[in-house]
Amino acid sequence: METPEVILEKTITIGAHKIHKTFLQKAILGFIGGAMISLGYLLYVRVAASGIESLGAFAGFVGASVFPIGLIVILLAGGELITGNMMAVSAAFFAKKISIKDLVTNWLVITIFNVIGAVFVAYVFGHLVGLTASGIYQTEVIEVAHAKLSATPLQAFLSGIGCNWFVGLALWLCYGAKDATGKILGTWFPVMTFVAIGFQHSVANAFVIPAAIFEGAANWSDFLSNFIFVYLGNIIGGAIFVSLFYYLVYHKKSSK
């Protein structure tokens, strides 16, 4: 495992590199990122719903333990996820390697294509294929979506902070690991933790709430209201609680 000083330098370099991708590269990788997180959530729904009868309350934990596959694929195979960019691109901004315009433009493009990828999975695989359209799986996706939507704006915002604190830490550990096994484990446990706790992830919500919408159990205004507050919380969790805090602690040493 690299030292925190080295991890910070890697994070800054990676964050700056993300800015220089072409629009087409960002669009494709953003779509992949949104789709992979959503497929991880779809796996959560299938596993948790199947295990409720035999595992009871423990079924949610088992579902949480398989969800991280989405972020692992993104980090090891390629993809852009806005919650990760909130941490990595912010580090490059704090280090004055990119401008505020670069940061906002990157966040906007990746967010749009993450949401497109998430809604694609919800509609095509969830609704059309039927993986969330009937039986216990439909019940599970609707219950999960309603739990997200029942949060007040403040709760959604604070939950978003908790979520991306852990996602940012997952990236931090992944960047610091020296082999594939370390990267997988460094990603797995923080992501599993935020899902098991029940913190809200804006892109994951862009899958599960539209999945409920396609089954007639929610509406788009519900989704938009939830997304805004969770997204703002995700910014604070990734950009402040991980990127800025570690930058303030380690940037002087790393600059030497």
Side-chain angles (χ1 to χ4, degrees):
M1 191 73 178
E2 302 284 6
T3 65
E5 291 84 1
V6 173
I7 298 174
L8 177 62
E9 287 295 340
K10 286 188 173 182
T11 303
I12 291 169
T13 300
I14 291 168
H17 178 69
K18 290 177 180 294
I19 297 302
H20 300 299
K21 289 185 172 73
T22 66
F23 177 81
L24 181 60
Q25 289 174 323
K26 292 174 184 175
I28 293 172
L29 292 173
F31 176 84
I32 291 171
M36 287 301 109
I37 286 297
S38 299
L39 288 167
Y41 214 152
L42 180 57
L43 179 60
Y44 167 95
V45 168
R46 301 285 294 185
V47 169
S50 298
I52 286 177
E53 185 173 339
S54 59
L55 298 174
F58 193 65
F61 174 77
V62 177
S65 71
V66 300
F67 176 88
I69 186 63
L71 186 57
I72 290 170
V73 170
I74 291 169
L75 292 175
L76 271 63
E80 292 282 343
L81 184 66
I82 184 57
T83 47
N85 285 24
M86 288 170 179
M87 190 279 276
V89 179
S90 293
F93 172 72
F94 295 139
K96 298 182 172 59
K97 301 295 184 181
I98 64 171
S99 67
I100 186 66
K101 180 181 178 182
D102 292 329
L103 181 143
V104 171
T105 301
N106 175 271
W107 286 4
L108 179 61
V109 173
I110 300 305
T111 299
I112 289 171
F113 285 95
N114 278 176
V115 172
I116 292 172
V119 174
F120 172 85
V121 171
Y123 184 69
V124 174
F125 298 125
H127 185 66
L128 294 183
V129 176
L131 297 177
T132 59
S134 61
I136 57 175
Y137 306 114
Q138 183 187 67
T139 300
E140 177 70 12
V141 81
I142 291 173
E143 287 182 355
V144 171
H146 284 178
K148 307 294 185 185
L149 293 172
S150 67
T152 66
L154 178 60
Q155 289 172 330
F157 173 73
L158 296 175
S159 183
I161 293 175
C163 164
N164 218 26
W165 196 347
F166 278 105
V167 173
L169 288 172
L171 265 71
W172 182 268
L173 295 175
C174 179
Y175 294 161
K178 296 182 178 181
D179 56 33
T181 300
K183 291 180 183 296
I184 291 171
L185 293 175
T187 304
W188 196 288
F189 287 100
V191 173
M192 180 183 70
T193 299
F194 98 71
V195 177
I197 289 173
F199 287 146
Q200 299 208 39
H201 187 287
S202 54
V203 179
N205 285 12
F207 160 75
V208 72
I209 297 175
I213 291 172
F214 296 136
E215 305 313 320
N219 60 62
W220 291 105
S221 64
D222 292 334
F223 164 67
L224 183 60
S225 176
N226 172 271
F227 184 86
I228 290 171
F229 290 102
V230 173
Y231 188 90
L232 293 174
N234 288 166
I235 291 175
I236 302 301
I240 305 301
F241 280 60
V242 180
S243 185
L244 181 59
F245 285 178
Y246 285 155
Y247 181 80
L248 293 174
V249 173
Y250 296 118
H251 78 284
K252 290 183 180 179
K253 293 181 181 179
S254 65
S255 65
K256 294 179 182 179

